[in-house]
């Protein structure tokens, strides 16, 4: 579903991403790990199409089509959805207005939205300006709620586990897991929503199973593999371990082409 080839991205004339290659097949959930400042948010915002992230080289392909010429609205219409690490407060727009917009465009969504309002415990925030006066955990919950009700086909979550306490994390983790499951109309099989979950500490992965993880360091993907194995090493020895790990020297990485 998503294929990124040799992606180079600049912000304000400084190159942040140096040739990213990443593939997420349809129905898989992948994690993007990496130390602070390694370029995780930059990659997500670039895929979404925020104009300040300048692609100088490479391709972003969704379902076989290069989307680089599409603007952010067109990409959203294709079904790309994000939950931001630091969502903005939007004065003058109530959460209920966004929901009404979704329902106006498709009345069948009302029932689903009502279920989601209950699941995310959003009732008391519906008539407030978006994110205004909410605690950090509440903002995370509201941001996740907003992206989930838009039913994206390709979902990216930027650090859904940062800045929240363990109880909130357990609730959010459970709800994400549930929302990622799409019932397949052909039978009882449960398919998952193609997604990329960005996490620095990996706490969300205690609740959400991922098929594969990618490690981003200094704007380059340096390792692909089993998320739990990678996280165990990182938890023991920090991201410093990854920098020293023999497997991850650029030379070996290119030769080995580690598989999930
Ligand atoms: P991560 O999400 O992995 O912590 P980011 O993608 O936010 O990393 O940032 C990667 C690098 O790009 C950092 O060095 C950061 O300071 C820089 N950066 C991000 N956004 C901007 C911006 N708007 N202007 C200048 N530099 C930026
Ligand atoms: Mg970030």
């Amino acid at each position: 579903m998503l294929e990124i080839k040799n992606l180079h991205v600049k912000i304000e004339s400084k190159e942040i991403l140096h040739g990213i290659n990443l593939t997420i097949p349809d129905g898989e959930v992948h994690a993007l790990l990496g130390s602070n400042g390694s370029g995780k948010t930059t990659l997500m915002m670039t895929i979404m199409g925020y104009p300040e992230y300048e692609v100088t080289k490479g391709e972003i392909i969704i379902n076989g089509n290069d989307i680089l010429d599409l603007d952010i609205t067109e990409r959203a219409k294709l079904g790309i959805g994000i939950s931001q690490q630091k969502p903005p407060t939007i004065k003058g727009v109530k959460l209920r207005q966004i929901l009404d917009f979704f329902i106006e465009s498709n009345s069948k969504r009302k029932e689903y939205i009502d279920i989601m309002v209950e699941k995310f415990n959003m009732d008391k925030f519906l008539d407030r300006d978006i994110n205004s006066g909410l605690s950090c955990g509440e903002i995370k919950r509201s941001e996740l709620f907003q992206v989930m009700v838009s039913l994206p086909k390709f979902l990216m979550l930027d650090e859904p586990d940062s800045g929240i306490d363990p109880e909130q994390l357990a609730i959010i983790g459970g709800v994400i897991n549930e929302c990622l499951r799409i019932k397949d109309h052909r039978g009882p099989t449960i398919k998952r929503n193609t997604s990329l979950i960005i996490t620095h500490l990996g706490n969300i992965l205690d609740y959400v199973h991922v098929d594969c993880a990618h490690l981003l360091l200094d704007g380059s993907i340096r390792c692909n593999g089993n998320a739990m194995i990678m996280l165990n090493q990182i938890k023991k020895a920090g991201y410093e371990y990854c920098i020293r790990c023999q497997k991850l020297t650029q030379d070996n990485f290119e030769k080995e082409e580690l598989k999930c």
Side-chain angles (χ1 to χ4, degrees):
M1 165 153 221
L2 171 78
E3 209 182 346
I4 294 176
K5 293 184 188 167
N6 192 28
L7 186 72
H8 291 252
V9 175
K10 262 190 195 169
I11 311 173
E12 293 178 358
S13 75
K14 185 179 169 218
E15 185 167 284
I16 307 291
L17 300 180
H18 319 291
I20 301 288
N21 292 299
L22 177 70
T23 301
I24 307 183
D26 190 27
E28 290 197 8
V29 179
H30 287 203
L32 183 65
L33 309 171
S35 50
N36 280 327
S38 56
K40 303 181 297 298
T41 298
T42 300
L43 179 60
M44 180 185 86
M45 300 303 248
T46 305
I47 298 170
M48 190 68 240
Y50 278 72
E52 57 269 43
Y53 298 86
E54 186 196 346
V55 175
T56 54
K57 214 176 182 184
E59 293 168 90
I60 303 177
I61 298 164
I62 300 243
N63 292 333
N65 300 311
D66 194 333
I67 60 164
L68 279 183
D69 288 339
L70 304 183
D71 68 21
I72 191 166
T73 309
E74 291 166 321
R75 294 187 199 193
K77 283 183 180 161
L78 263 189
I80 303 176
I82 62 168
S83 151
Q84 295 195 54
Q85 184 177 357
K86 295 176 197 141
T89 297
I90 307 174
K91 295 266 186 197
V93 181
K94 313 276 182 220
L95 196 47
R96 191 184 293 282
Q97 289 173 287
I98 295 188
L99 302 184
D100 288 346
F101 174 78
F102 284 136
I103 294 166
E104 263 168 42
S105 58
N106 182 351
S107 60
K108 285 189 196 142
R109 279 202 188 167
K110 175 147 183 20
E111 197 186 334
Y112 169 71
I113 287 176
D114 288 344
I115 294 170
M116 294 294 273
V117 167
E118 201 175 314
K119 205 172 268 184
F120 279 83
N121 203 4
M122 280 289 119
D123 218 16
K124 56 181 182 289
F125 303 131
L126 293 183
D127 292 306
R128 283 165 65 169
D129 288 346
I130 290 182
N131 295 337
S132 179
L134 272 63
S135 74
C136 190
E138 289 168 342
I139 289 178
K140 287 272 180 203
R141 216 167 71 223
S142 170
E143 177 76 355
L144 276 170
F145 166 75
Q146 289 165 54
V147 72
M148 293 300 189
V149 292
S150 72
L151 291 170
K153 294 193 179 83
F154 175 57
L155 172 67
M156 291 179 281
L157 307 178
D158 195 357
E159 303 208 17
D161 46 5
S162 67
I164 55 171
D165 57 43
E167 289 83 24
Q168 287 267 0
L169 179 64
I171 295 168
I172 283 179
V175 177
I176 292 176
N177 230 347
E178 209 176 308
C179 292
L180 289 181
R181 291 146 60 122
I182 316 169
K183 285 203 179 66
D184 193 322
H185 64 278
R186 286 166 300 193
T189 337
I190 302 281
K191 202 181 143 205
R192 295 213 295 169
N193 204 118
T194 315
S195 312
L196 182 65
I197 301 178
I198 297 173
T199 174
H200 169 56
L201 297 173
N203 296 336
I204 191 72
L205 304 185
D206 289 341
Y207 301 93
V208 182
H209 165 76
V210 293
D211 300 287
C212 180
H214 311 276
L215 176 76
L216 188 63
L217 284 179
D218 273 340
S220 301
I221 290 197
R222 303 289 300 276
C223 191
N224 304 287
N226 179 290
M228 287 307 153
I229 295 175
M230 284 160 77
L231 269 176
N232 278 340
Q233 293 296 347
I234 292 163
K235 278 181 184 162
K236 266 192 239 152
Y239 280 102
E240 274 300 305
Y241 165 84
C242 301
I243 296 165
R244 292 195 312 269
C245 172
Q246 285 301 309
K247 260 205 262 177
L248 307 185
T249 62
Q250 197 58 31
D251 247 16
N252 286 340
F253 177 62
E254 277 163 12
K255 276 184 222 143
E256 270 190 38
E257 187 69 21
L258 297 169
K259 292 264 186 302
C260 298

